[in-house]
Amino acid sequence: MLWQKYCPPFYSPTEALKKGTLFPDLYRPYIKDKHRKKC
């Protein structure tokens, strides 16, 4: 678990809304194939 560091750099408000976080350290995009179960 990463803790939020309240120091710059931050995403701009528009970018933060797109990414779902203000903090670049917490941005982890979902990759569909990475989470796929193998049978």
Side-chain angles (χ1 to χ4, degrees), residues 28-38:
R28 299 289 184 262
Y30 177 76
I31 302 170
K32 184 177 180 179
D33 292 338
K34 184 178 180 181
H35 301 284
R36 184 180 233 171
K37 287 186 176 182
K38 295 181 181 179

Side-chain angles (χ1 to χ4, degrees), residues 13-29:
T14 305
E15 194 69 20
L17 286 173
K18 289 178 186 176
K19 295 187 181 222
T21 183
L22 182 64
F23 306 96
D25 288 344
L26 297 179
Y27 179 62
R28 299 289 184 262

